[in-house]
């Protein structure tokens, strides 16, 4: 099991000046880089943002096996190190997408090498099937930059948390961005990262009950645009504090941030020996949860589970706040509601089972008291078919929030999911339903179409 460290690890990071942060990626020249596994030359007709798709595998590796978690790759561009990549999908051939940054017009060479010192002892081999440069966003266009170009041009680059390096824990799996409009010409671009887990902060049982996953999903950085100009930049600092970004940039306009706490909050004043630059995808979460982004990449559920297994957080007979069952033994409920001085719990009734299975285990701390779209998970007995689910009941409870007008308003069930044996999310059919508003003590019963 991974040794637990303090919640905040800023002291373990190297605090640096802005100029130093910008230069760190370029300190490894071609003369000191390991021999490339694959090299690809390409040409650009103009200055633009460029991504890279790396189809690769780490034979014999598995994120769930201690000492053989993953091989590490070092990505370089034109003879300078650009970023690191852990082959977290293990033995499976997978298409990893990363952001190389702003490159100038003309010819460039990208290469990928095996980084043995950063690879697990039992994962010292990497196979790279292909490299595919992805020209993305020109620096300037006569009609201006569109929203996606803006988002790609400013996507953050993340230094790994110092106490995760060589420990294969809490790594970024995905980055996505949202574009939020306010007014005719104002917009906000917000970036969020899905980490494999979090070493500090919310316990595993609470993650499943309140969020419906064992990963850690944290917003990283956002900027506000007004009249075509950036007027504000903020990031999520330690203790979830929103702070003004004043740090360095790399590869054009990409902000440099470091994961700076055991619950994966950030700093713009630190760096480490490893950095990641995932190519972000766009997400529209107006009627969906943050967790729904994971559904597009089922491997994230498998790697989440493998890390939890390696850390001894999964058991067929879970006991304790940091122990859960196999995530494939859960039913996942997505709903939306406006909570005022109230919190929700959910019960699942299964045919042939006298017991009702609760998301909160009767513990008020495990209920959902936030408004908007959310996901929870309810553990079912191992081997129970999703087709056996008869009803899902939402319970509204008074919370400790000191308000007079309490309730769970505009409650609506959005989706019900399970994970198959390959960790692919499968939606269960729901009956047509209307919104409900519940006072504390009231319930709402939902039925699946198959029943």
């Amino acid at each position: 099991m991974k040794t637990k460290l303090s919640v905040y690890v800023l002291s373990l990071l190297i605090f640096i000046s802005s100029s130093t942060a910008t230069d760190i990626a370029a300190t490894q020249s071609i003369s000191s880089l390991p021999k490339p596994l694959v090299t690809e030359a390409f040409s650009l007709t103009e200055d633009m943002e460029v991504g890279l798709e790396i189809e690769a595998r780490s034979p014999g590796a598995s994120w769930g096996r201690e000492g053989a978690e993953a091989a590490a790759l070092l990505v370089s561009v034109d003879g300078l190190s650009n970023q690191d990549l852990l082959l977290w999908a293990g033995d499976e051939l997978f298409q990893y997408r990363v952001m190389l940054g702003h490159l100038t017009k003309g010819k460039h060479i990208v290469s990928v090498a095996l980084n043995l010192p950063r690879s697990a002892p039992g994962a010292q081999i990497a196979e790279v099937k292909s490299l595919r440069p992805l020209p993305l966003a020109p620096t300037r266009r006569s009609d201006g930059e569109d929203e996606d170009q803006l988002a790609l041009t400013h996507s953050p680059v993340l230094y790994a948390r110092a106490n995760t390096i060589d420990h294969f824990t809490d790594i970024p799996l995905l980055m996505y961005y949202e574009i939020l409009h306010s007014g005719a010409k104002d917009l906000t671009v917000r970036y969020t990262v899905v980490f494999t887990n979090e070493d500090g902060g919310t316990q595993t049982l609470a993650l499943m009950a309140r969020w419906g996953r064992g990963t850690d999903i944290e917003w990283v950085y956002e900027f506000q645009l007004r009249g075509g100009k950036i007027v504000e930049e903020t990031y999520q600092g330690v203790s979830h504090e929103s702070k003004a970004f004043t740090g360095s940039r790399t590869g054009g306009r990409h902000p440099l941030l470091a994961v700076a706490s055991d619950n994966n909050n950030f700093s713009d004043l630190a760096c480490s020996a490893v950095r990641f630059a995932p190519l972000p995808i766009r997400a529209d979460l107006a009627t969906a949860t943050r967790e729904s982004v994971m559904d597009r990449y089922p491997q994230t559920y498998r790697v989440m589970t493998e890390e939890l297994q390696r850390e001894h957080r999964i058991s067929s007979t879970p006991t304790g706040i940091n122990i859960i069952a196999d995530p494939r033994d859960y039913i996942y409920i997505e709903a939306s509601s406006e909570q005022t001085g109230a919190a929700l719990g959910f019960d699942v009734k299964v045919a042939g089972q006298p017991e009702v299975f609760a998301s909160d285990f009767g513990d008020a701390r495990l209920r959902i008291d936030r408004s908007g779209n959310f996901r929870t998970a309810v553990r079912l007995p191992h081997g129970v078919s999703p087709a056996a689910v008869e009803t899902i009941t939402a319970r509204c409870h008074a919370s400790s929030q000191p308000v007079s007008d309490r309730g769970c308003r505009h409650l609506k069930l959005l989706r019900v999911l399970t994970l198959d044996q390959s960790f692919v999310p499968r939606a269960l059919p729901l009956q047509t339903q209307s919104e409900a508003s519940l006072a504390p003590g009231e319930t709402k019963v939902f039925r699946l179409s198959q029943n």
Side-chain angles (χ1 to χ4, degrees):
M1 180 182 294
K2 168 174 26 183
T3 302
K4 287 294 171 187
L5 302 179
S6 61
V7 174
Y8 303 122
V9 295
L10 279 170
S11 61
L12 297 179
L13 292 162
I14 307 168
F15 284 84
I16 52 174
S17 69
S18 298
S19 60
T20 307
T22 305
D23 294 337
I24 282 194
T27 55
Q28 261 192 302
S29 66
I30 193 168
S31 61
S32 62
L33 293 173
K35 182 179 179 180
L37 297 172
V38 179
T39 297
E40 185 74 22
F42 62 99
S43 294
L44 301 176
T45 58
E46 58 182 313
D47 296 359
M48 66 175 63
E49 298 292 324
V50 179
L52 178 68
E53 182 181 87
I54 306 168
E55 190 171 8
R57 62 190 287 262
S58 180
S62 169
W63 197 254
R65 189 159 60 252
E66 188 172 357
E69 295 89 347
L73 299 183
L74 181 63
V75 181
S76 63
V77 178
D78 298 331
L80 296 176
S81 60
N82 182 274
Q83 64 187 278
D84 302 275
L85 175 67
L86 292 177
L87 299 182
W88 47 261
D91 193 66
E92 174 187 353
L93 197 62
F94 185 75
Q95 293 177 340
Y96 300 86
R97 288 192 163 196
V98 300
M99 173 64 83
L100 299 179
H102 167 86
L103 297 179
T104 56
K105 175 182 177 181
K107 184 178 179 180
H108 297 275
I109 297 176
V110 61
S111 64
V112 171
L114 176 63
N115 190 343
L116 284 173
R118 295 274 90 95
S119 300
Q124 299 279 294
I125 303 173
E127 295 177 1
V128 180
K129 183 178 180 181
S130 64
L131 296 181
R132 186 162 72 95
L134 305 171
L136 296 170
T139 303
R140 295 181 181 84
R141 294 186 352 176
S142 58
D143 58 346
E145 293 175 310
D146 65 21
E147 293 176 345
D148 291 306
Q149 285 179 326
L150 279 168
L152 292 170
T153 299
H154 294 85
S155 63
V157 174
L158 301 179
Y159 285 112
R161 202 175 76 219
N163 64 348
T164 66
I165 296 173
D166 301 334
H167 293 284
F168 306 98
T169 176
D170 291 12
I171 66 164
L173 292 174
L174 295 173
M175 180 185 292
Y176 67 86
Y177 63 90
E178 301 168 82
I179 296 178
L180 311 171
H181 293 271
S182 56
K185 296 184 179 180
D186 294 355
L187 64 84
T188 297
V189 181
R190 177 182 298 153
Y191 303 84
T192 299
V193 170
V194 180
F195 292 90
T196 51
N197 189 230
E198 59 178 313
D199 287 347
T202 306
Q203 299 95 339
T204 311
L205 182 66
L207 278 173
M208 292 295 280
R210 288 178 48 79
W211 304 97
R213 32 95 176 163
T215 56
D216 185 26
I217 302 180
E218 302 286 351
W219 78 271
V220 185
Y221 163 82
E222 68 179 29
F223 65 89
Q224 287 76 46
L225 201 72
R226 181 170 302 149
K229 295 183 178 180
I230 294 178
V231 294
E232 186 177 13
E233 297 177 85
T234 56
Y235 69 94
Q236 183 182 191
V238 171
S239 300
H240 304 291
E241 179 184 0
S242 294
K243 304 185 72 173
F245 176 78
T246 59
S248 304
R249 302 179 195 276
T250 187
R253 290 178 275 179
H254 299 275
L256 279 164
L257 289 155
V259 185
S261 69
D262 282 349
N263 60 338
N264 300 319
N265 293 169
F266 307 91
S267 168
D268 65 351
L269 297 174
C271 75
S272 69
V274 171
R275 78 181 197 184
F276 303 110
L279 179 63
I281 58 174
R282 184 168 181 172
D284 182 358
L285 303 183
T287 58
T289 64
R290 299 186 302 169
E291 292 74 25
S292 67
V293 179
M294 294 175 58
D295 299 343
R296 295 156 62 176
Y297 300 90
Q299 295 87 350
T300 58
Y301 289 102
R302 175 172 62 81
V303 174
M304 171 195 83
T305 302
E306 289 173 342
E307 183 162 320
L308 292 173
Q309 287 173 330
R310 175 158 46 89
E311 297 174 352
H312 309 289
R313 299 197 198 189
I314 291 179
S315 171
S316 58
T317 55
T319 57
I321 196 70
N322 266 318
I323 308 295
I324 63 168
D326 188 311
R328 291 169 291 190
D329 288 341
Y330 288 76
I331 187 167
Y332 298 86
I333 300 167
E334 282 198 355
S336 63
S337 180
E338 294 178 12
Q339 323 284 61
T340 304
L344 280 165
F346 289 84
D347 295 329
V348 175
K349 182 70 176 67
V350 177
Q353 297 281 341
E355 182 182 356
V356 173
F357 304 98
S359 63
D360 58 6
F361 298 93
D363 187 337
R365 296 170 299 176
L366 300 181
R367 294 174 186 145
I368 298 162
D369 56 3
R370 63 189 183 278
S371 296
N373 305 318
F374 56 82
R375 183 179 290 192
T376 184
V378 179
R379 181 195 172 199
L380 301 181
H382 179 70
V384 168
S385 169
V389 174
E390 291 184 333
T391 59
I392 296 172
T393 301
R395 292 178 274 105
C396 185
H397 299 264
S399 71
S400 59
Q401 185 180 357
V403 297
S404 56
D405 185 20
R406 300 179 182 274
C408 307
R409 297 176 178 85
H410 306 294
L411 170 65
K412 186 174 183 180
L413 203 61
L414 302 175
R415 291 197 302 164
V416 179
L417 306 166
T418 60
L419 298 178
D420 69 14
Q421 289 307 299
S422 298
F423 295 95
V424 177
R426 304 294 184 187
L428 302 181
L430 291 173
Q431 290 184 358
T432 303
Q433 54 167 311
S434 58
E435 291 184 356
S437 291
L438 307 178
E442 294 182 336
T443 62
K444 168 71 174 178
V445 178
F446 301 93
R447 295 185 179 274
L448 276 62
S449 295
Q450 61 201 33
N451 297 313

